[in-house]
Amino acid sequence: MNGSLIEVERPDGRIAVEVGGRGPLVLCVPGMGENRASFRHLVPLLADAGYRVAVMDLRGHGDSSAEFSSYDDPATAGDLLAVVDALGGAPATIIGNSMGAAAAVIAAADRPESIAKLVLIGPFVRDHGPAGLRTLMRLMLLRPWGPAVWRGYASSLFGGIRPDDHEEQFGHTMALLRRPGRWRAFQSTVREVTHAPAEAALPRVHAPALVIMGSRDRDFPDPEAEARWIADALQGEHRMIPGAGHYPMAEQADAVFAELRDFLSKEASHG
């Protein structure tokens, strides 16, 4: 990724955004624990196809500030809309991964005029599992053992096909979370996040939607069933990436681009 790095001011801090290419705006939003480099292999494909591509870091992640008062899905939705406004790119296509997909759904429901299309990759748009399990995860992420626990879990979320730079980039991602204030912000994100607001927003979304799911995404008991459920809720489409885990755009960017290329080029028609 060789775009220009800018900062978008928010009430409690700044959101780091990397921008490159020319054309209609596509904003990529990573998932919790990740950073904008998770889209590093997809960005050049989008730029070469004629899009202006922006990739943001979540609050407390990457190069964004780590002193925010909230880190939940609605806050992230506000951030991505602020980025679209700052870049003057509305209506934009949003490509959201995991928690970033939940924020994209909320943004599309709250400001439909600003969102042209949604691409949801490994999307969490509703809560899964018992509340007790989520509480256990929060306890496991406490220091001093938390970083090691997260490293092991996050590593397991990738599928069997990985790019040549995977190990280097994964190490960099873990190093970013160890910077001052970042682990505390990450813990706040884990503690605060519920995807109930995204699930409640689904009926209000009218932007065309494409759901992309890895067939080996272990965050879901049945990845294809989840992809189909979300696509049906949004009256959209779903595509599976064989062998991919929770981050198909980082693992198999060519396969992801092949699935979304025609979707992006179609004329958007809101219902």
Side-chain angles (χ1 to χ4, degrees):
M1 294 171 60
N2 298 302
S4 301
L5 186 63
I6 66 170
E7 293 182 330
V8 175
E9 294 290 336
R10 298 292 287 143
D12 296 332
R14 301 173 309 281
I15 299 299
V17 186
E18 194 168 348
V19 189
R22 304 180 70 176
L25 180 63
V26 175
L27 172 60
C28 302
V29 188
M32 181 177 66
E34 273 291 337
N35 56 79
R36 63 184 189 274
S38 62
F39 288 93
R40 66 196 181 279
H41 296 301
L42 184 61
V43 165
L45 300 176
L46 292 167
D48 288 347
Y51 296 96
R52 183 185 186 201
V53 189
V55 192
M56 60 181 274
D57 283 323
L58 298 180
R59 298 175 168 217
H61 293 64
D63 291 314
S64 291
S65 299
E67 298 82 27
F68 287 93
S69 59
S70 61
Y71 291 86
D72 57 14
D73 288 349
T76 304
D79 291 342
L80 75 84
L81 288 170
V83 171
V84 171
D85 290 344
L87 297 177
T93 292
I94 310 298
I95 302 180
N97 172 234
S98 195
M99 173 183 171
V105 165
I106 295 170
D110 290 348
R111 290 252 309 265
E113 70 278 8
S114 295
I115 309 299
K117 296 180 180 180
L118 294 176
V119 178
L120 309 179
I121 302 177
F124 268 109
V125 297
R126 58 176 174 172
D127 290 328
H128 289 268
L133 184 60
R134 295 194 293 274
T135 299
L136 178 61
M137 174 61 81
R138 292 165 188 148
L139 292 173
M140 291 175 67
L141 292 178
L142 293 173
R143 284 192 180 275
W145 54 80
V149 170
W150 177 251
R151 184 184 183 94
Y153 180 72
S155 180
S156 74
L157 294 177
F158 292 88
I161 302 173
R162 305 180 181 187
D164 292 341
D165 65 349
H166 172 77
E167 291 301 328
E168 178 184 0
Q169 179 55 42
F170 185 72
H172 179 62
T173 296
M174 295 299 108
L176 288 176
L177 289 173
R178 292 195 296 270
R179 291 185 300 168
R182 304 296 165 151
W183 189 256
R184 183 176 62 252
F186 175 64
Q187 287 177 303
S188 295
T189 307
V190 174
R191 182 173 62 251
E192 294 179 20
V193 164
T194 168
H195 303 301
E199 183 175 6
L202 289 171
R204 297 189 288 117
V205 175
H206 301 291
L210 173 64
V211 178
I212 295 178
M213 188 80 79
S215 68
R216 292 178 56 183
D217 191 335
R218 68 180 298 247
D219 265 334
F220 306 98
D222 186 335
E224 185 162 13
E226 184 68 12
R228 186 182 301 111
W229 182 88
I230 297 169
D232 288 347
L234 294 171
Q235 299 182 50
E237 311 167 57
H238 80 278
R239 301 286 187 272
M240 301 300 296
I241 306 298
H246 194 54
Y247 309 104
M249 72 288 181
E251 304 166 40
Q252 299 185 42
D254 288 335
V256 170
F257 181 70
E259 295 295 353
L260 61 80
R261 178 175 46 210
D262 290 343
F263 174 77
L264 292 180
S265 65
K266 290 178 185 175
E267 186 71 23
S269 59
H270 294 252

